[in-house]
Amino acid sequence: MRASGRMLVAAFVVGSLIVGLVAGRLSGGLGGGGSLATIADARGMTVAEAEGALKAFTPPGKYDEYTMVSSGGQSGNLYLIGVPSMRLLKTIPVFTPESWSGYGQGADWSETILAEGSSDKQARELKWGDTHHPGLSETNGEYDGRFVYINDRANGRIGMVDLRDFKTKQIVDLPNMQTSHGGVFVTPNTDYVHISSMSPVPQTPDGYAPLDQYKESYRGISSWLSIDQGTGRIDVARSFQIELPPYTQDLADAGKLASDGFAFIGSYNTEMAIGGVSEGGEPIEKGASARDFDYLHIIDWKKAAEVAAAGKTELRNGIRVITLQTAIDEGLLYLAPEPRSPHGADVSPDGNYIVVGGKLDPNVTIYDIELIKKAIADKDFDGNDEFGVPVLKFASVMAGQVEVGLGPLHTQFDGKGNGFVSLFLDSAVSKFSLGPKAGVKAGEEFKLLDNVKVNYNIGHLATTEGDTVAADGRYLVALNKWSIDRFPVIGTLKPQNFQLVDLQGDQMRVLADMPVGFGEPHYVQIIKTSRLTSAIDVYAPGTDPLTMAASAVATEAGKERVERDGDTVHVYMTAMRSHFTPDILRVKRGDHVVMHVTNIEQTADATHGFAIPAYNLQASLDPGEVVTLEFEADKAGSFAFYCTEFCSALHLEMQGWLLVEP
Ligand code: CUK
Ligand code: CUA
């Protein structure tokens, strides 16, 4: 009763604020500052801007209704941002070492992940990534808050973050593909996470083929990575790949509901231009834009899984591959023409429509899954491409086109029959209606409804829960590439600019800017915060984060010890406010030191750091966590170690000595 009473009061207060805003003044409740109009005036804002601020504002101590999982571009990380406040909550390192969390700074579990993420297909050990497309796990097509997958566009890699502790637990460097771009999505029950190549590569034993053998030797790859439902880990042995023609495969999405079992991958450069400007050839961007149509790839992935299970695959570098010929013979791969140089392939929440943007075409093109299925069943083909893949007739599968503006890229949805498409060249978002199968009235379908300017040159956009069957149409976030003039001059590399757009009124409205200074995020997903139910506050005592199970080398209070085994010294250390035990370590130069450090606290947020700066080691020990740091004590000296987290009033005293005797 009390809680609902409070909610009524809160609703009344918000109502009063809005009434006050509309009236241009606010009667009381704001303290000494006067009416909101007065405050807005004093700060040089319009009342409309103040109203926008109020819509985006999340008061101190309150949680945001949504949490945005943002890729971090060239930083190689993931970020968590509250929506609507646009407050940055967390950095999650994935492909790049990071100091605060100690990720890749000496703790064995994170070193293991990064090391496994660089296979011998690479020329060098990889130290960075270019994260583009996060994929949150789903159950029945809705986000379930268990895991998130993120690709490395630079390499054919994918990382998995466990949403129990929000830490990276796996990086897989996939064979047979060098790059991975837009093809990241999970299937509606997270049976698979999909990732596809961007640049086709030679499928030859040594990974080399001259460019004049492009059509014969180079292939695109669609990877279907099987997920362990308990841990979220990718099981490569149960996964499979499908060879694709050597086009540049691009953005992709999984079918859902009406289109469950299918996947859609856009592509460009079906011209197979290879460049060679200095060898008498033409620039790739010219060659790749020659044809009026490129191809939307349509994959029947449930059939592909059956084909793989039936053994109609070849093992290539440790993974099962369905060859292009097998994919054609088994009827699991089709193409549909899409207007030239498309970008974006997005499935509506009901699963009926697939929306494609054409970078060089002012329309979005909307396909209907029922028409696609019928065209496949009727063999309603416009011949084959030059690799023998059947091409469906454009007129047979296309449900509608909407002229939305210049440079349409990506589309998101509100679950109310509308799509929202980003317009890179126009720096705008256009809202348009889908067709009757999304609940749109006859006569109202496939129409441009609204347009809002954004600043500037938008790439992706995301609506709240917009990739799922439960898209709710509350907010949209525009991910803008350019921010010239939006922020003070702070050097020559400008921030990216996220803009929060309100979808709740009749017209879209920009509410807030969020400068992003950590890289170029390409895509985000926005999940209701209430769905993050797997999240834990504190590890159980003595947990190894890699396994989330009790660590064999956890140390309890009173059991701290140093054990020597030849030249190897095992240290079993505990950390608690405000000391390490032991706090003096004596070793000899040349010893191999293995330090098992356990944070024996069980108080949430009682994190300690452990750093031996001279040996380039740093770990973050969250309450209950065990980390192992291993090093050769090859430099003699007296080295201070310390806790790097301000954990208590006596944090500065939380230090000790590593004595390496000459
Ligand atoms: S791509 Cu960046 S704007 Cu990597 Cu999703 Cu379209
Ligand atoms: Cu522990 Cu500072």
Side-chain angles (χ1 to χ4, degrees), residues 380-393:
D380 185 11
F381 303 144
D382 207 359
N384 301 326
D385 77 343
E386 60 182 288
F387 300 90
V389 186
V391 179
L392 308 178
K393 282 204 189 95

Side-chain angles (χ1 to χ4, degrees), residues 366 402 417-419 431-435 440 444-447 449:
I366 302 157
V402 186
N418 302 306
K431 176 179 178 179
F432 61 93
S433 55
L434 296 165
V440 177
E444 301 295 317
E445 67 269 25
F446 307 129
K447 286 214 164 89
L449 301 173

Side-chain angles (χ1 to χ4, degrees), residues 253 256 345-351 353-356 366 410-421 432-434 438 461-468 470-476 503 523:
D253 203 357
K256 50 174 90 92
D346 297 283
V347 178
S348 62
D350 47 84
Y353 299 110
I354 302 100
V355 182
V356 166
I366 302 157
H410 304 287
T411 300
Q412 284 273 286
F413 306 94
D414 63 0
K416 297 166 188 162
N418 302 306
F420 301 85
V421 60
F432 61 93
S433 55
L434 296 165
L461 74 185
T463 52
T464 40
E465 307 227 313
D467 275 323
T468 73
D472 65 11
R474 291 283 303 281
Y475 300 103
L476 179 155
L503 298 183
Y523 191 44

Side-chain angles (χ1 to χ4, degrees), residues 313 331 402 654:
T313 54
V402 186
M654 194 165 174

Side-chain angles (χ1 to χ4, degrees), residues 359-360 405-409 422-428 453 457-458:
K359 285 174 298 200
L360 302 179
L406 295 181
L409 300 182
S422 55
L423 303 170
F424 180 82
L425 296 176
D426 272 352
S427 289
K453 291 280 170 207
N457 297 91
I458 178 173

Side-chain angles (χ1 to χ4, degrees), residues 576-577 580 607-609 643-648 651-652 654:
M576 68 173 295
R577 281 162 287 174
F580 295 106
T607 295
H608 299 287
C643 168
T644 54
E645 188 86 21
F646 205 107
C647 52
S648 63
H651 150 77
L652 292 168
M654 194 165 174

Side-chain angles (χ1 to χ4, degrees), residues 192 224-227 234-241 308 319-320:
Y192 295 97
W224 294 82
L225 307 176
S226 177
I227 301 303
I234 291 160
D235 182 350
V236 175
R238 288 170 48 222
S239 305
F240 62 91
Q241 294 178 323
I319 190 164
R320 296 177 298 166

